[in-house]
């Protein structure tokens, strides 16, 4: 059975996959970028594995080691998407661990990693957007009307994607921060027990910086529009 | 006393460093931790990978050169041993207080 479903929240995705597994649907294949899930029904009484999703940028030369570590501890990799840093694992047998994280802090860190990747990606998109806008200004100056519509469309699409990624990242950061604040969760930072204060300030500052960046992008766009008039 | 800002260590970190007094790869560490803790502490794969990354960054452990890229072998460094020793000292202090005042 094939299902299409898009998730913005990795925890909801895991919960949905758990519910599917509960009904006896084993996830065999997934293409995260288009949200395509392929399931097979296991026969009555047969073990139906849970799926867990890790999210991290694993350097190419460490990928084999990373996947091997999971395999040895009972988690089979069923999808490694290098583009968006998703790694799907499902349990190899009933003896496999129940989860891929064994303490609260490492489970929380996943939210932070997703937030960081979203922040980097949206900032990169934003930079490309600005360059494109400069390009448009140039084209307007030179009276090169041919490339204007093309660049304008590109810019707005990139901008829209950037905003969406930014909002997703901000939500993850917010959840991470909220859980850290609420629980006085012990965060394993640099291997020691400490409350993670610096990250909160850092991520908040990053969000403000990016908001200013986006705002100035819009301002430049508007200015350009006025110049054109 | 000049105490390291990294103390106290988390239970997971303490066990991983102790396990790496003898060189071993990721899954070996997971098994060893379970053994050392009489089955009380189990480190899952995602947590383990993050911990290795973290401890390498801190230079408390190092990769031992080897051929098998899929099973890199790690070992505690002098810096790591020092931290472990400080932590053990701290635990001893706690134990002393506990024995004197806290236990029955």
């Amino acid at each position: 059975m094939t299902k299409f479903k898009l998730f913005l929240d990795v925890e909801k995705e895991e919960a949905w996959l758990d519910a599917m597994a509960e009904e006896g649907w084993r996830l065999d294949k997934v293409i995260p970028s288009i949200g395509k899930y392929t399931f097979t029904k296991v026969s009555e009484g047969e073990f139906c594995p849970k799926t867990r999703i890790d999210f991290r940028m694993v350097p190419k030369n460490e990928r084999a080691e990373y996947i091997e570590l999971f395999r040895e501890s009972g988690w089979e990799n069923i999808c490694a998407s290098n583009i968006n840093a998703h790694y799907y694992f499902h349990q190899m047998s009933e003896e496999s661990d129940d989860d891929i994280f064994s303490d609260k802090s490492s489970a929380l860190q996943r939210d932070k990693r997703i937030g960081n990747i979203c922040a980097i990606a949206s900032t990169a998109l934003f930079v490309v957007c600005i360059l494109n806008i400069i390009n448009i200004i140039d084209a307007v100056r030179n009276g090169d009307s041919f490339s204007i519509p093309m660049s304008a469309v590109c810019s707005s699409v990139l901008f829209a994607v950037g905003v969406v990624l930014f909002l997703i990242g901000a939500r993850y950061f917010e959840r991470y921060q909220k859980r850290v604040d609420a629980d006085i969760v012990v965060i394993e930072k640099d291997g020691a027990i400490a409350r993670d204060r610096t990250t909160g300030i850092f991520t908040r500052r990053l969000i403000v910086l990016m908001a200013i960046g986006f705002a100035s992008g819009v301002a430049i766009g508007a200015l350009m529009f006025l110049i054109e008039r | 006393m000049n105490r390291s800002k990294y103390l106290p260590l988390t239970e997971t970190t303490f066990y991983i460093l102790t396990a790496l007094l003898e060189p071993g790869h990721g899954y070996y560490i997971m098994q060893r931790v379970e053994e050392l803790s009489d089955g009380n502490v189990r480190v899952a794969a995602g947590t383990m990978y993050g911990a290795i990354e973290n401890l390498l960054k801190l230079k408390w452990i190092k990769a031992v050169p080897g051929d098998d890229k899929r099973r890199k072998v790690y070992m505690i460094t002098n810096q790591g041993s020092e931290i472990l020793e400080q932590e053990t000292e701290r635990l001893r202090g706690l134990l002393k207080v506990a024995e004197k005042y806290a236990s029955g």
Side-chain angles (χ1 to χ4, degrees):
Chain A
M1 180 182 68
T2 302
K3 276 204 171 187
F4 285 91
K5 216 166 155 79
L6 276 177
F7 288 92
L8 295 183
D9 185 341
V10 66
E11 285 180 8
K12 287 191 182 135
E13 187 175 356
E14 283 182 344
W16 178 67
L17 291 170
D18 279 353
M20 293 297 286
E22 211 118 297
E23 288 170 26
W25 292 101
R26 185 185 66 213
L27 180 67
D28 288 323
K29 226 179 124 196
V30 52
I31 307 173
S33 43
I34 56 168
K36 186 183 175 201
Y37 301 83
T38 313
F39 296 94
T40 309
K41 185 96 181 169
V42 300
S43 44
E44 195 82 23
E46 198 189 330
F47 171 66
C48 187
K50 262 192 191 173
T51 304
R52 282 291 170 267
I53 307 162
D54 196 12
F55 198 103
R56 58 175 96 226
M57 306 284 263
V58 183
K60 215 178 187 168
N61 56 344
E62 284 170 24
R63 212 161 285 150
E65 185 196 7
Y66 169 72
I67 285 170
E68 178 69 11
L69 178 65
F70 276 78
R71 203 192 57 74
E72 281 184 298
S73 52
W75 291 90
E76 187 186 16
N77 179 254
I78 52 167
C79 166
S81 171
N82 302 329
I83 303 165
N84 53 14
H86 271 70
Y87 290 86
Y88 288 73
F89 296 93
H90 71 200
Q91 292 172 316
M92 283 156 69
S93 72
E94 275 156 277
E95 280 109 67
S96 301
D97 287 334
D98 220 37
D99 206 334
I100 56 170
F101 299 114
S102 50
D103 56 24
K104 222 173 190 173
S105 70
S106 59
L108 270 181
Q109 294 298 320
R110 183 178 63 179
D111 273 1
K112 204 166 87 182
R113 284 197 300 274
I114 300 177
N116 276 330
I117 291 170
C118 286
I120 293 166
S122 62
T123 309
L125 281 176
F126 166 67
V127 169
V128 175
C129 218
I130 289 274
L131 291 177
N132 216 349
I133 287 168
I134 292 171
N135 199 19
I136 296 176
I137 295 175
D138 242 28
V140 171
R141 279 220 190 105
N142 298 334
D144 174 12
S145 58
F146 173 71
S147 65
I148 295 172
M150 186 58 182
S151 297
V153 169
C154 277
S155 269
S156 10
V157 170
L158 291 179
F159 185 75
V161 175
V163 168
V164 170
L165 274 178
F166 171 79
L167 291 175
I168 294 173
R171 252 194 52 207
Y172 274 107
F173 276 141
E174 206 182 300
R175 182 165 80 189
Y176 170 77
Q177 202 55 49
K178 219 158 71 193
R179 287 181 181 172
V180 171
D181 288 345
D183 252 332
I184 317 191
V185 171
V186 191
I187 289 295
E188 193 168 338
K189 193 171 170 270
D190 298 339
I193 296 174
R195 276 201 62 186
D196 198 346
R197 292 191 194 86
T198 47
T199 1
I201 298 163
F202 170 71
T203 53
R204 260 171 230 148
R205 194 180 294 158
L206 189 72
I207 287 172
V208 169
L209 268 180
M210 284 175 46
I212 293 171
F214 276 124
S216 57
V218 172
I220 290 174
L223 202 68
M224 198 214 76
F225 184 73
L226 286 177
I227 292 169
E228 200 181 357
R229 286 286 145 116
Chain B
M1 193 177 97
N2 199 3
R3 202 169 116 163
S4 165
K5 65 171 174 166
Y6 296 113
L7 297 186
L9 300 181
T10 60
E11 202 173 30
T12 311
T13 308
F14 179 83
Y15 274 119
I16 293 174
L17 285 178
T18 306
L20 283 179
L21 288 169
E22 282 165 37
H25 57 82
Y27 186 56
Y28 162 82
I29 303 172
M30 291 165 70
Q31 289 173 308
R32 187 82 178 115
V33 168
E34 199 175 343
E35 192 186 304
L36 285 170
S37 66
D38 288 328
N40 286 320
V41 178
R42 277 182 69 119
V43 187
T47 302
M48 188 69 234
Y49 187 82
I52 291 178
E53 240 182 358
N54 209 358
L55 293 173
L56 281 174
K57 222 185 282 163
L58 284 164
K59 297 200 167 68
W60 292 0
I61 64 170
K62 61 180 179 200
V64 180
D67 298 329
D68 195 348
K69 267 198 173 153
R70 293 184 344 154
R71 285 170 154 206
K72 257 190 243 162
V73 173
Y74 301 97
M75 212 190 139
I76 197 165
T77 60
N78 290 338
Q79 223 175 317
S81 306
E82 219 166 89
I83 285 285
L84 197 56
E85 218 161 281
Q86 285 181 31
E87 174 70 355
T88 308
E89 205 45 56
R90 186 190 72 82
L91 290 171
R92 256 191 218 118
L94 279 185
L95 194 63
K96 225 190 263 168
V97 175
E99 274 170 356
K100 194 163 176 194
Y101 297 102
S103 60

